Amino acid sequence: MKDSTGGQTRIQRTKIATISDAALDVFSANGFRGSTVDEIARAANLSKPNLLYYFPSKEAIHTHLLTALMDTWLDPLRQIDPEGDPLEEVLTYVRRKLAMSRDMPRESRLFANEIIQGAPWMSASLERDLKPLVDEKAAVIAHWMQNGRLKPADPHHLIFSIWSLTQHYADFDVQVRAVLGPEVRDPFPEAEAYLLTLFRRLLRI
Amino acid sequence: MKDSTGGQTRIQRTKIATISDAALDVFSANGFRGSTVDEIARAANLSKPNLLYYFPSKEAIHTHLLTALMDTWLDPLRQIDPEGDPLEEVLTYVRRKLAMSRDMPRESRLFANEIIQGAPWMSASLERDLKPLVDEKAAVIAHWMQNGRLKPADPHHLIFSIWSLTQHYADFDVQVRAVLGPEVRDPFPEAEAYLLTLFRRLLRI
DNA sequence: ACGCATTTTGACCAATCGGTCAAAGAGGAG
DNA sequence: CTCCTCTTTGACCGATTGGTCAAAATGCGT
């Protein structure tokens, strides 16, 4: 009955996935404190005690989601290649981050909720995982700029601006659509064109 | 005992201000659903029934804050002068928005929480107040670009990018400080220099 | 079909939620 | 001081919160 994948049964794997998906819906829409276990259970079509059979507590579900997310979230940044073409590496990073906003808006909002509310669960991970990675990639970018392959600009704030601009289209989706009006079905093509223009003009020698 | 200012007593004015300030602390840190009336009352040094003597409900406090905020929030955009120097008008808007992130981070987070969670209270105001103003100013900017006084770029997304980049330093303050490290006491001077460079390179002919 | 581990459930718990109410307290105009 | 309005409070309400528990139901290998 046990399974090779981390000592989990087939049912456990599917139910945990179902619960995670439902919890992502609820947490990303209401934040941790604004979400209830009943609501997650309802979204997962499970009774509350049944849900708490798979996760020991509401906080455990939340932590599970955040730790799983952190890796996915940093992946595009890790892929920046010091040996690649500087401008193209940055623009590819922008494209990847914007694609994540388009394809994983719930994850983006879960992350945003956590940070806005002071990162009570993730602040340790920010120092331990995020800071070193950003420092490393910022050094790569700074090196490119010193070699005259990119126009100079503060590398850390460059990375901040990429995060900010791309995640905006997921986190503030309601506002973007309200301003653009209903005739704009999909803001992302326009957004990508604008952002690529922006970073080309900022960085291109 | 009554006062000329909208039929409010002196005590009412000061207590309502105290409650609003406390509620801004709580709502901006936890979102509407994640906040409790008890917590706001505690932050305002009032008993819960006393607080509910000045506001009929938790929702009324929240609505009060949001409606008051909407005006303040749109003010810098309103100040863009069609007769002014195009680049300087945009850069001044950036400076004003960044100053608001520095001086009113709680208001920024209150707004961000509301939008991220689908704008359940503000979506009407977004269509009624925000969209027309943005369309008007976007037309001004488009006109500048057509006259060759700014480099061409999508005006709506230009405005989005200003919102996104400036509010990031309030809403994601924890992340910014975690990445920059404790030796950077105040990220805002660096941020302003970076953002002004960014928009100059994007728009300057 | 058996037997055992896994899964699901309804009933239940103390604590907290938003909000009410009657009564007590405070403060100023006459 | 007196009276009346405004302010404050403790006690309380039903509903909901996160979480528990024993018992029932359901797999699943043999």
Side-chain angles (χ1 to χ4, degrees):
Chain A
M1 184 162 282
K2 289 292 181 80
D3 185 85
S4 59
T5 315
Q8 287 185 346
T9 68
R10 181 170 8 109
I11 295 181
Q12 280 173 357
R13 250 178 294 126
T14 65
K15 288 291 162 86
I16 286 177
T18 305
I19 293 170
S20 297
D21 190 69
L24 183 56
D25 270 341
V26 175
F27 281 134
S28 68
N30 304 90
F32 177 76
R33 289 184 46 168
S35 304
T36 71
V37 177
D38 288 275
E39 202 178 350
I40 298 171
R42 212 179 310 128
N45 270 315
L46 259 55
S47 67
K48 184 167 59 170
N50 195 8
L51 186 150
L52 289 167
Y53 168 75
Y54 292 100
F55 286 93
S57 70
K58 172 184 170 184
E59 189 175 341
I61 312 174
H62 192 241
T63 302
H64 174 73
L65 288 179
L66 285 183
T67 52
L69 176 57
M70 197 55 169
D71 239 37
T72 316
W73 220 238
L74 293 184
D75 207 52
L77 184 55
R78 283 199 203 90
Q79 294 191 41
I80 290 185
D81 180 9
E83 308 300 324
D85 176 70
L87 183 59
E88 210 47 51
E89 287 297 319
V90 174
L91 295 184
T92 298
Y93 181 48
V94 172
R95 278 191 212 96
R96 286 197 179 115
K97 284 293 286 177
L98 188 61
M100 288 181 66
S101 282
R102 193 210 313 126
D103 303 331
M104 309 170 69
R106 298 179 303 169
E107 285 83 348
S108 185
R109 281 193 275 266
L110 177 73
F111 193 88
N113 267 311
E114 166 72 3
I115 301 293
I116 288 182
Q117 305 186 358
W121 283 276
M122 289 190 70
S123 64
S125 174
L126 294 182
E127 309 262 3
R128 185 184 356 102
D129 307 321
L130 182 64
K131 185 180 189 324
L133 180 61
V134 172
D135 284 342
E136 173 199 331
K137 298 302 181 179
V140 170
I141 293 171
H143 196 254
W144 284 336
M145 291 172 175
Q146 282 155 19
N147 291 10
R149 305 187 65 189
L150 291 177
K151 273 197 197 151
D154 187 303
H156 282 94
H157 288 269
L158 171 61
I159 292 174
F160 292 156
S161 66
I162 295 173
W163 292 347
S164 157
L165 289 166
T166 55
Q167 291 172 12
H168 186 79
Y169 289 97
D171 303 343
F172 287 71
D173 177 75
V174 178
Q175 194 186 40
V176 167
R177 291 180 189 274
V179 168
L180 292 181
E183 62 271 17
V184 177
R185 299 285 172 80
D186 180 8
F188 281 92
E190 297 176 4
E192 178 165 325
Y194 173 77
L195 293 186
L196 294 179
T197 299
L198 186 153
F199 284 108
R200 275 200 197 95
R201 290 186 191 163
L202 174 66
L203 297 175
R204 193 181 240 159
I205 293 293
Chain B
M1 186 163 280
K2 287 292 183 80
D3 186 85
S4 59
T5 316
Q8 288 185 346
T9 68
R10 185 174 1 113
I11 295 180
Q12 279 172 359
R13 249 178 296 123
T14 63
K15 287 291 163 81
I16 285 176
T18 305
I19 294 170
S20 297
D21 190 69
L24 183 56
D25 269 342
V26 175
F27 282 135
S28 68
N30 302 39
F32 177 76
R33 289 184 46 168
S35 304
T36 71
V37 177
D38 289 275
E39 201 177 353
I40 299 172
R42 213 179 309 128
N45 270 316
L46 260 53
S47 68
K48 184 167 60 171
N50 196 8
L51 185 150
L52 289 167
Y53 169 76
Y54 292 100
F55 286 93
S57 68
K58 172 184 169 183
E59 189 175 341
I61 312 175
H62 191 241
T63 302
H64 173 74
L65 289 179
L66 284 184
T67 53
L69 176 57
M70 197 55 169
D71 239 38
T72 315
W73 220 237
L74 293 184
D75 207 53
L77 184 56
R78 284 199 202 89
Q79 293 191 43
I80 289 184
D81 179 9
E83 309 299 324
D85 176 68
L87 183 59
E88 210 47 51
E89 287 297 320
V90 174
L91 296 184
T92 298
Y93 180 49
V94 172
R95 279 190 212 95
R96 286 198 179 114
K97 283 293 286 178
L98 188 62
M100 288 181 67
S101 282
R102 193 209 313 125
D103 302 331
M104 309 170 67
R106 297 179 305 168
E107 285 84 348
S108 185
R109 282 192 274 265
L110 178 73
F111 192 87
N113 268 310
E114 166 70 4
I115 300 293
I116 288 182
Q117 306 187 358
W121 283 275
M122 290 191 67
S123 64
S125 174
L126 294 183
E127 309 261 2
R128 184 185 357 104
D129 307 323
L130 182 63
K131 185 180 187 325
L133 180 61
V134 172
D135 284 342
E136 174 200 331
K137 297 303 183 181
V140 169
I141 293 171
H143 197 256
W144 284 336
M145 290 173 177
Q146 281 155 22
N147 290 11
R149 305 186 67 192
L150 290 178
K151 274 198 198 149
D154 187 303
H156 283 94
H157 287 270
L158 171 61
I159 293 174
F160 292 155
S161 66
I162 295 173
W163 292 346
S164 156
L165 289 166
T166 54
Q167 290 172 13
H168 186 79
Y169 289 97
D171 303 343
F172 287 70
D173 177 74
V174 178
Q175 194 187 39
V176 168
R177 290 180 190 274
V179 168
L180 292 181
E183 63 270 17
V184 177
R185 298 283 173 82
D186 179 8
F188 280 92
E190 296 176 4
E192 178 165 326
Y194 173 78
L195 293 186
L196 294 179
T197 298
L198 185 153
F199 284 107
R200 274 200 198 95
R201 290 186 190 164
L202 174 65
L203 297 174
R204 193 181 240 159
I205 294 292

